[in-house]
Amino acid sequence: MLRRSALTLLAAAGLLMSTASTAPAVASAPVSAAAYPTTPVKVSDGAGSYISGTLTWYNRSVDFTGTLKSVGCRRAWYSVFDDYANPLGARSSSTHCNTVTSVPATLPADVVGGGSYVGVCLDDANGKPVTSCGVYFRP
């Protein structure tokens, strides 16, 4: 019985020693979540109005944060699409006249992997595009 206990202790001591030699000396910091990809946006009408900001691509949505500068009356319009050009969600700001304002939006993209690209347009007060829209692909 004593012999078995001594062997067990020796085996346990050897295991502890081999583990200690392979364990890191200092605990490492926890791994943070990877940053979500972003895409810069700039759409202008050539007459002083523009939408400028950033798209942040999440798994089931896309956020726009940025600014609308309106000369006359303008509004921002956004739409997200999947790989097959199917619309997943659209949003627009309210109409803004002769101002600079924040126009954040969250676009639903409730499919696996989220949206593939977003169209961003600068519209007039009636919702008619005043420029060609910018198309921004997920990085």
Side-chain angles (χ1 to χ4, degrees):
M1 177 94 167
L2 182 58
R3 187 177 196 145
R4 186 177 290 173
S5 295
L7 288 174
T8 303
L9 285 174
L10 286 174
L15 179 62
L16 287 175
M17 289 176 69
S18 68
T19 303
S21 66
T22 60
V26 177
S28 60
V31 178
S32 62
Y36 291 101
T38 60
T39 304
V41 170
K42 179 76 178 215
V43 176
S44 63
D45 67 358
S49 296
Y50 64 82
I51 303 165
S52 178
T54 303
L55 295 167
T56 302
W57 303 86
Y58 298 103
N59 291 331
R60 295 205 177 249
S61 66
V62 181
D63 280 353
F64 176 81
T65 53
T67 302
L68 168 65
K69 178 182 179 187
S70 58
V71 175
C73 294
R74 299 286 184 262
R75 67 182 185 168
W77 178 84
Y78 325 90
S79 187
V80 62
F81 300 87
D82 68 9
D83 284 336
Y84 304 100
N86 295 311
L88 300 174
R91 297 285 186 266
S92 73
S93 70
S94 57
T95 300
H96 298 276
C97 301
N98 300 311
T99 190
V100 176
T101 189
S102 175
V103 286
T106 297
L107 308 169
D110 198 13
V111 295
V112 174
S116 293
Y117 64 96
V118 171
V120 179
C121 296
L122 187 60
D123 292 358
D124 68 12
N126 298 314
K128 179 180 176 188
V130 295
T131 64
S132 60
C133 300
V135 176
Y136 302 91
F137 290 88
R138 184 182 194 114

